Amino acid sequence: MTNNTVCRFCGSASRETFVDLGMSPLCESYVPAEKLNSMEPFYPLNVWVCTDCFLVQLDDYVGAEHIFTEYAYFSSFSTAWLRHAEDYVAMISDRLKLGPKSLVVELASNDGYLLQYFVKRGIPALGIEPAANVAKVAAEKGVETLVKFFGKELGASLAAEGRQADLVLGNNVLAQIPDLNSFVAGIRAVLKPTGTCTIEFPHLQKLVEENQFDTIYHEHFCYFSLIAAERIFAAHDMTIFDVEEIWTHGGSLRIYARPTGDTSRPVSERVLALRKREEAAGYKDPAFYPRFEEQVRETKRKLLELLTGLKRAGKRIAGYGAPGKGNTLLNYCGVRCDFLDFTVDRNPYKQGKFLPGTHVPIFAPEKIDEAKPDYVLILPWNFKAEIIAQLAHIKSWGGKFIVPIPEATVVG
C-alpha cells in the first residue's frame, strides 16, 4: 500500500499530526514458534487529523484484505462483551419493534456473538464478515453469514435482491474501514427508507481525555468524534438523530442514523448536547490535536518507571490478555520479556504463539496459577473489572494488578 496524501473522507490535503507512535507490527499478527527468527514487518503508526473535516486517521500501509481475511479476534471470548450484545438486542428489538418479518444486517459480524441473540428471538438476521475462519464459527451458531467485505456495491446488490434492512448495525467496524465513503453509501443502499442504522465506535474525546493511545493500531484507519461522524453520514444522505455514550472500549458512542428524508425522527437533545461539548473542548480547532503527543510520551515514561522499579526489586510480572491494544502499548513502550515474563489469553487461537514485535509468549490462563506472579499487567484494561474479579484469588499469594491506562496504576 502507499500512504495517503489526502483525507480519505473529504479529499483535503490539509493535515496536522495528532500523535506519532513510531514503528509497530500489525497488532493481530501473532507469531508461531517456528517463525520467531523470521523477518517481521513493522509499519509507521503516525496519526494525523484532517484540518477541514476533523477526521483523525492513519495512512494506508497495509490493505484491509491483508489484515482481515483471516483474523485472530473472536468476540465471544469476553463475557462482558456477550452481555453487552445481548442487552443491545433486547433494547433495539423493543425500540424498533422488530419481529419475524424484519431483517437485521450486521456489518463485521465476527463469530455471531451478537446476531445469535436475534436468531434466538426468531428475527431474521444476516451477517457480513470478511474473515472466513471467524465466519465459520458464526455459521455453526445458525447465523447466516456472507464472507465478503461490505461496501456500496454489496449494499446495492442486497437491495436489488429485495433484502433491504430494518436495522443495519456495526459494532467497532467503522474505524476499520479504509474506504469510508463506499461503506456508508452501502449502508444507505441496503437500508429501508424507514430503517435505522446503529454504529458503535470508540469516542475520540474519550481517547484523548483518558489517554487511550493504545487503541491506535493499523487495523483502525480512523478515529471519530461526533462532529466528524455527522459530516460523513450527511454526505451520504443520512442523519444522526440520536446518540448514546456507552462503556465499551474505554468509552464509545452508539450513533443512531436514518435516511435524511425520514423526518419522523428529529435530532435528539443528546446529539445537540454532545456536539456542543465537543466544540467547546476544541475538536473543531486544528491547534487542539497536536497537544496529545506529549501526554502520550509522559504515560510511557511513567509505565517504564513503574516496571523498572518492580523488576529491580526482583518482582515477577505477567500479562493478562493478548489484545491489539496491548500490542500497541508494549511495542511503543519497548516492553518485552525483560519486563513481562509471559501473558495469558482465553482464546485458544492465540495460545502457544507470541505477541507481535515483543515476542512475549502467550499461554492459557492457568499459567497464572502455576507461575504465581507478583503482578499481573492487564492489557485489555477496558475489561479490568471482569478480569480482576476472575483473578481475585491471586491475592492469596500477595499478587497485585497493574492497570496501564490512563496511567500506570497498581490495584490490589
Side-chain angles (χ1 to χ4, degrees), residues 78-129:
S78 169
T79 303
W81 186 244
L82 287 176
R83 190 180 309 116
H84 172 71
E86 188 171 14
D87 289 347
Y88 166 83
V89 170
M91 178 278 295
I92 202 69
S93 296
D94 181 62
R95 178 169 175 167
L96 301 184
K97 297 180 172 54
L98 300 174
K101 295 183 179 180
S102 307
L103 175 62
V104 175
V105 174
E106 182 179 10
L107 313 177
S109 50
N110 201 262
D111 60 4
Y113 75 101
L114 186 147
L115 289 183
Q116 63 180 329
Y117 299 115
F118 282 115
V119 171
K120 289 177 182 178
R121 288 171 172 262
I123 299 171
L126 172 66
I128 300 174
E129 169 57 52

Side-chain angles (χ1 to χ4, degrees), residues 274-401:
L274 180 54
R275 185 196 304 151
K276 184 177 180 180
R277 195 173 87 209
E278 288 186 348
E279 290 173 350
Y283 287 85
K284 292 181 77 172
D285 178 6
F288 165 82
Y289 292 87
R291 302 170 194 158
F292 183 57
E293 188 161 64
E294 180 56 30
Q295 183 177 315
V296 171
R297 290 173 177 172
E298 182 59 19
T299 297
K300 173 179 179 176
R301 296 177 191 123
K302 289 181 178 178
L303 177 61
L304 289 175
E305 285 170 359
L306 173 63
L307 296 179
T308 298
L310 293 175
K311 294 305 287 186
R312 282 178 174 158
K315 303 301 182 182
R316 297 161 299 165
I317 307 172
Y320 188 96
K325 58 168 57 71
N327 292 322
T328 293
L329 177 79
L330 299 181
N331 278 286
Y332 172 65
C333 294
V335 174
R336 297 178 175 82
C337 292
D338 48 352
F339 288 109
L340 205 59
D341 298 345
F342 61 88
T343 193
V344 303
D345 199 277
R346 294 171 65 186
N347 185 348
Y349 187 92
K350 299 178 183 180
Q351 295 166 10
K353 295 185 173 69
F354 296 78
L355 297 182
T358 61
H359 291 183
V360 173
I362 308 168
F363 296 98
E366 291 75 19
K367 182 70 173 179
I368 295 283
D369 293 339
E370 296 172 14
K372 293 183 170 54
D374 299 294
Y375 292 85
V376 173
L377 175 63
I378 299 177
L379 295 172
W381 47 261
N382 49 308
F383 294 122
K384 63 184 178 183
E386 177 183 340
I387 293 165
I388 289 172
Q390 287 175 5
L391 296 181
H393 63 280
I394 74 169
K395 296 179 182 178
S396 65
W397 64 74
K400 298 180 180 180
F401 300 95

Side-chain angles (χ1 to χ4, degrees), residues 23-32 35-43 327 331 336 354-360:
M23 302 291 289
S24 189
L26 299 182
C27 72
E28 296 283 346
S29 56
Y30 300 91
V31 183
K35 292 188 177 181
L36 279 176
N37 293 327
S38 300
M39 184 188 74
E40 193 171 0
F42 280 59
Y43 305 92
N327 292 322
N331 278 286
R336 297 178 175 82
F354 296 78
L355 297 182
T358 61
H359 291 183
V360 173

